[in-house]
Amino acid sequence: MSISRGCVWLLFLMCMTWSVVNAAKTKPHLTITSITPSPGATITRSTVLKVTLDYSIDRTKWIRDTYYILPLFDSTESGHPFNALDRLVDGFPIKEASGVVEYEYGIKGEWDAGQLAKPVVVRFCLMKREGRGASRSIAQAEPVTYQTDPE
């Protein structure tokens, strides 16, 4: 039994289409590839986190939606992470469906807020803008923990 060239070509096109469709519908991810200070280091009010993040978003959703990366810090009020940003748009704007970004973030605002849990735990989040004043996290990098000097 032999398969005609037309059938082989059709099977090839079907496989390629399936691959492209499934590649476009990947689950969003956010991964820290490097961060300073190193996890576990002692930080202070003047610390600036310098992080390199690898991310991806479903291309079909990225085209029509708006995304930002921002840090969330553990709070002294359990289950209520926070940051000192006034608005979502003050985070790092995502301009492509996937890539690597370098982000610097000073922690002075969180430190001065009086609700920063210690040891300090920060999670970088990929946030999707949901509408007027609303957003939700669609991916999070692994949490990073830092020490502080005893007060």
Side-chain angles (χ1 to χ4, degrees), residues 30 33 51-55 69 92-94 99-103:
L30 183 65
T33 58
V51 61
T52 303
L53 298 151
D54 178 76
Y55 73 92
I69 293 175
F92 190 94
I94 296 301
V100 175
V101 297
E102 294 180 355
Y103 185 32

Side-chain angles (χ1 to χ4, degrees), residues 77-113:
E77 189 177 332
S78 182
H80 296 283
F82 78 106
N83 62 40
L85 299 173
D86 291 329
R87 304 168 301 169
L88 177 67
V89 297
D90 294 332
F92 190 94
I94 296 301
K95 308 251 186 234
E96 301 290 332
S98 64
V100 175
V101 297
E102 294 180 355
Y103 185 32
E104 291 188 13
Y105 189 85
I107 67 166
K108 180 175 65 168
E110 288 76 15
W111 195 278
D112 292 346

